[in-house]
Amino acid sequence: MNHSLGELAVRFGCELRGDPAQRLSHVATLAGGGDGTLGFIASPHYRAQLAVTRVSAVVLAAAELQHCRVNALVHANPHATFARMAALLHPAARAVPGVAATAVIAPDARVPASAHIAPGAVIGAGAELGERCVIGAGAVVGASVRIGADSELRAHTTLEAGTVLGERVLIHAGAVIGADGFGFARDAGQWVKVPQVGVVRIGSDVEIGANTTIDRGAIDDTVIGDGVKIDNQVQIGHNCVIGDHTVISAFCGLSGSTRIGRRCMLGGGVGFVGHQTIGDDVAFTGDCLITGDIDRPGVWSGALPAQPQREWQRLVARFKRLDRLALQVRRLAKQLGEDSEHD
Amino acid sequence: MNHSLGELAVRFGCELRGDPAQRLSHVATLAGGGDGTLGFIASPHYRAQLAVTRVSAVVLAAAELQHCRVNALVHANPHATFARMAALLHPAARAVPGVAATAVIAPDARVPASAHIAPGAVIGAGAELGERCVIGAGAVVGASVRIGADSELRAHTTLEAGTVLGERVLIHAGAVIGADGFGFARDAGQWVKVPQVGVVRIGSDVEIGANTTIDRGAIDDTVIGDGVKIDNQVQIGHNCVIGDHTVISAFCGLSGSTRIGRRCMLGGGVGFVGHQTIGDDVAFTGDCLITGDIDRPGVWSGALPAQPQREWQRLVARFKRLDRLALQVRRLAKQLGEDSEHD
Amino acid sequence: MNHSLGELAVRFGCELRGDPAQRLSHVATLAGGGDGTLGFIASPHYRAQLAVTRVSAVVLAAAELQHCRVNALVHANPHATFARMAALLHPAARAVPGVAATAVIAPDARVPASAHIAPGAVIGAGAELGERCVIGAGAVVGASVRIGADSELRAHTTLEAGTVLGERVLIHAGAVIGADGFGFARDAGQWVKVPQVGVVRIGSDVEIGANTTIDRGAIDDTVIGDGVKIDNQVQIGHNCVIGDHTVISAFCGLSGSTRIGRRCMLGGGVGFVGHQTIGDDVAFTGDCLITGDIDRPGVWSGALPAQPQREWQRLVARFKRLDRLALQVRRLAKQLGEDSEHD
């Protein structure tokens, strides 16, 4: 696609500084761009690149305008505006409606003529697909699954029986939605499987990353709200409930019955021990473990940064003797007549 | 399915308090249930719900009976008993024997007439399937694989060549059993692949979660004992040996040649550095890293709980200066005439 | 395969001590071997096994020769030499050239006659496969993908559109290469998808583990160098760049735009917060989190080893009060007239 700067400014509500006739054909980084490319700057961190970039135009906030020497599209939210322009310049290839010869569709499944069913896909009994759905190569849609309009499953995704998807959901390759939750009852040193009879219900405008797994509920359902964005290789246990517009990064692990509020942000590798309730607008930095409820907005952390090994080993040795150190300090304090309230 | 309370009491050896004619059709949570539903309570934690629940009957231990205002099925192990009743009320859909038209089966594979082979499944040369096996859509069974009776592979599972499965094994979608172990020998700054010639041998009554990976042995085999339950997204390296009835939660990572005993319990994200031996009946809470052998039963932990970010940053800064703090305390102790044995 | 010791010694440049006519048919561990087997010892740690082993020959370094009582092949790098001999004794089954009946190949894809395309594989429009490529059962090769000669995709791998692979690349089952990076711009409490228009470019002699995910670049490409070895269940975010011959163990998570140098070694579960640059020859032990750039070779660590739970709980309690402890020590020091420079 190819658009003029003037057209982009009007369509996306930007103030334009520069040549409205300049044509733009694709996006680029400030460092790598050339003629006909559109870049953006969303952080002063990259200001040095702004001074030397060869892109034809930059989307930026008013504060950066003075540092920009090429055409500029000024917007209060340059990142989101750039994202929308990029979608215009790089439209996703539209899948052609139709059913591949090697796809297998149950006789009573409802597949609209506008849907694209790729080779090897399998659509189970009673499944209902919305208009313009795209079912990728080898994707498996279980019995009674319902998928809203304009949703897309990439290759090798699995939706187990009963899964419900809203509209405009995008699920990346290898994700498994609706496998049995990890539920077993101990009995004389062995484990009895607890049947997992709930399903997974996913809202609209959700994106789910490659090889992510979301388990069906044990009794009630596992629920993913609208606008939730989930990265690759996330694990969401049975009966979790995720609030609207929450973002979950790779390797997060939500044990059973974790409830996360709206607009939360989970960095990579964040773990929840299960049966916890987290309120709205809580953020977690990478690799932390959450062991209790959190009812107020805020940022939580819990990872120690790596150190050169020798230094780290010394710290670990000190850490292991922390109890003894504290007791020694208490003794010294007592000797010096300081009361122990601070300990 | 629909059963009377009296029938359930007799079949599962419960003491019944209430109306034996009450019909039950499905399970429910104490909070969500209604007429015709069966709930359970396995922890006093939910006692408040017991007082107000609308389920028709509750499975519980004798100690909870006094708090229950609806029909009760009393059993010493209410969770396991509930699990068995749930399996009766919600029987899994039985797969119809037969081979789908788009499945591909090697001429010399042994597939009994009682097996169900779903669309797109591939059964390799010399594979042997037990009676009533279910091979899910697109599942790939490699050459010479042996699968015991009543085992089930969900969609997109991969059993690489030579894998051996016992009876009643359930493997969830996307799991990969028998990929090459991660074995390379360094040679002049590059890596030479060490052929991985062992296989994976899995016992009976094992469940393996979605997108979990279990690597084949380098020389000897990787072995998973009977009754082992493995959650989603677990990684088990080459030559690991897992004892019977051990439970492994999501994101656990067992480096090569880790040996875990029987009836162990691994919380989420537990890591083993490899070449370790863990005895029977050892438990690990979430996110801990095991660096040595453990020969006695017990519980091990190793994760720091997340804190509000500002507080955490202060703790990290203190932690990094722990060595200096300890040295300072030693100096102070010396000044005060305390010997250093406690340091 | 069956080879004489003399033949192996000549072919792999070893000094032979023992019977050159001894036949060897397969590899074994020192503990498990028998007649006709070849073992190796790469660490003095296993010297005790060397004294009692029943293998027919052992590959070892000169320093171990005196401890060996069976035939010996002496080489300065016994592990790499054993690896090469094992590949000779256990040659991988060669896939027969040809296209399975249920494979689906786009009319304009280039598939050489020497390639093996397994059942259910899907080759997209404009894809180009090198000589002797092996495309496993159900593997999905997206549009315009290019794969170098002698590369192999195992079952259920997904290469999204535009992915580029070098020669002799091996990708294990379930890996997803080229899914969209996790890129969203916040806008009024919701998330706007940032189109991911880069691709993934992978060098030659790369191995990628089962269920690993490598995301396409947001604007520029994600790049994996030559000879890189990646374990199962690794996540590599958009625009990461991995230097040649670097090794990455299971569960490592590289957030977007992480740059790793050449010959680095990442233990299991190592995390990078993103936008970092790591130089050549840096090693990271398991489970550590890297929060800054590293420009010199060395080993970094960051995980606390698990402890018996009771002990751990005491340490955690002490850790949480570390700030107060340090302040108390400062007060005591002041009382004793020590200046605070050490704090």
Side-chain angles (χ1 to χ4, degrees), chain B residues 287-307:
Chain B
D287 272 5
C288 66
L289 178 69
I290 315 304
T291 57
D293 292 349
I294 299 175
D295 58 5
R296 275 181 303 188
V299 182
W300 290 67
S301 297
L304 297 169
Q307 309 290 326

Side-chain angles (χ1 to χ4, degrees), chain A residues 11-75:
Chain A
R11 191 194 282 233
F12 296 101
C14 301
E15 180 192 333
L16 167 60
R17 199 197 61 182
D19 175 13
Q22 168 73 44
R23 306 299 297 180
L24 296 171
S25 60
H26 53 287
V27 297
T29 59
L30 294 184
D35 190 46
T37 62
L38 173 71
F40 78 103
I41 182 167
S43 147
H45 187 70
Y46 294 99
R47 198 175 279 165
Q49 292 181 8
L50 196 53
V52 296
T53 186
R54 295 179 176 189
V55 298
S56 293
V58 178
V59 190
L60 43 63
E64 299 298 331
L65 192 52
Q66 57 178 313
H67 306 288
C68 180
R69 310 174 63 157
V70 298
N71 297 304
L73 291 159
V74 185
H75 195 284

